[in-house]
Amino acid sequence: MSSAQALSGAFAPVITPFHADGSIDVPRFLAHCQWLIQQGAGLAPFGTNSEANSLSFAERSALLGQMVEAGLPPSRMLPGTGACSAPEAAALSRQAIELGCAGVLMLPPFFYKGISDEGLYAFYADVIARIGDARLRLYLYHIPALSGVPITHAVIERLLRDFPGIVVGIKDSSGDWNNIETMLQRFPTLAVFPASESFLSRSRPLGGRGCISATVNINPGPISRLVESWHTDEGQVLQAQVDAVRKIAQAYPMIAALKEVMAQGLQDPDWRRLRAPLDLLPADKAASLLKDLQAAGFQLR
């Protein structure tokens, strides 16, 4: 795997298109990945906005292999390998290592709630031991609103101490700037990726590596440029532009909103499909979303 020091940029938790029978639409998925790469973004498949927890282990494993076979660069891939069971998380992570992915993004075990710091540490330590490969680059995934399992600073500190060069980063989806800022200051070796591009102009000066954001799926070029030019006059303009798009999109159920934008922008209604239990945007909400984006000057491509 590539070094943690080299991993930066805007990464998309790649949305997953489906056929009418509910199976993954691999050609559409790969075409979307190719476009994201061409726009300067990285790929974080099997994230929250990928509907990852509605995909089976076999589906994730097969699709990861197909991404590499299609010529997508593993050095720009950060697949989600989290699972409630340590054996499953370890197995998908081992595959990512063998394929040369830049790292893996790993949720905490999210079924049991109220688990202790000791229990959470033991889970990650167990997964690392099962993988048993020094090439592992593990990025923690802090999303307490959905997982119900916060990754505390005490757990981060212990993992960094006990697994140097293995535990190397974190995606923070808390939306809490104070937490992001504290991690950047307290853990200077940790690659911190906020889950929103709206934090870029604040996080980058403190050493933030970029973002892993849902809206990179639809706005990859401007967000990728902002990661690099945050400190310039262009960066100020870009920050305002991407903030406007983000504010509109996050006012709706995010996955359905992203797929609606894809369907409309590509004139491809098949992009609207979601797996249960998620629902399509109602027609009035879809129209409002698209109207607001148009008013903000947004174009998909």
Side-chain angles (χ1 to χ4, degrees):
M1 292 191 176
S2 59
S3 70
Q5 288 70 29
L7 190 59
S8 64
F11 285 76
V14 187
I15 50 177
T16 308
F18 298 106
H19 291 296
D21 65 359
S23 61
I24 296 172
D25 188 332
V26 176
R28 273 189 178 85
F29 179 85
L30 295 177
H32 184 48
C33 289
Q34 292 284 7
W35 177 66
L36 291 169
I37 289 290
Q38 290 165 5
Q39 294 295 308
L43 308 174
F46 321 135
T48 299
N49 290 280
S50 311
E51 299 174 72
N53 291 301
S54 297
L55 305 179
S56 69
F57 173 86
E59 286 175 317
R60 288 195 284 172
S61 177
L63 192 54
L64 186 58
Q66 288 165 323
M67 292 174 72
V68 176
E69 289 171 7
L72 293 164
S75 63
R76 296 296 292 160
M77 291 184 197
L78 191 61
T81 61
C84 286
S85 75
E88 187 173 350
L92 192 56
S93 297
R94 280 196 299 270
Q95 180 186 6
I97 292 171
E98 293 303 323
L99 291 173
C101 294
V104 299
L105 182 63
M106 195 176 295
L107 282 166
F110 48 83
F111 179 79
Y112 296 109
K113 305 303 186 284
I115 63 177
S116 66
D117 279 2
E118 181 64 32
L120 182 56
Y121 169 87
F123 175 84
Y124 279 118
D126 184 18
V127 172
I128 292 167
R130 288 173 183 272
I131 295 168
D133 194 317
R135 295 174 295 171
L136 172 64
R137 299 292 178 265
L138 195 158
Y139 291 74
L140 307 169
Y141 187 1
H142 176 62
I143 183 169
L146 291 183
S147 72
V149 182
I151 302 175
T152 67
H153 294 177
V155 170
I156 295 169
E157 183 172 44
R158 190 173 172 189
L159 288 170
L160 289 174
R161 182 195 68 203
D162 293 349
F163 304 102
I166 297 290
V167 176
V168 297
I170 190 167
K171 176 185 178 182
D172 187 301
S173 292
S174 68
D176 180 355
W177 168 248
N178 290 332
N179 189 59
I180 295 168
E181 183 179 38
T182 299
M183 288 193 299
L184 287 165
Q185 294 171 341
R186 182 172 176 181
F187 308 118
T189 64
L190 189 70
V192 177
F193 287 85
S196 171
E197 60 272 25
S198 294
F199 291 120
L200 282 172
S201 291
R202 284 186 281 176
S203 62
R204 289 289 278 155
L206 300 178
R209 299 296 183 86
C211 64
I212 305 171
S213 167
T215 36
V216 175
N217 274 289
I218 60 171
N219 206 20
I223 299 173
S224 295
R225 293 198 301 275
L226 176 58
V227 172
E228 301 303 324
S229 63
W230 59 269
H231 56 294
T232 67
D233 291 342
E234 180 196 21
Q236 295 180 24
V237 174
L238 285 170
Q239 185 70 76
Q241 291 174 344
V242 304
D243 283 352
V245 173
R246 175 80 191 196
K247 184 177 180 181
I248 293 167
Q250 70 185 17
Y252 300 86
M254 183 64 85
I255 301 171
L258 295 174
K259 289 191 166 182
E260 181 64 40
V261 172
M262 293 291 294
Q264 180 67 26
L266 299 179
Q267 293 297 292
D268 182 359
D270 290 345
W271 258 110
R272 291 190 176 94
R273 296 187 182 117
L274 301 109
R275 272 195 179 172
L278 300 183
D279 294 321
L280 296 175
L281 283 183
D284 61 331
K285 296 293 186 183
S288 177
L289 165 68
L290 298 172
K291 180 181 177 181
D292 290 346
L293 287 172
Q294 184 178 31
F298 171 80
Q299 290 186 326
L300 179 65
R301 299 188 182 182

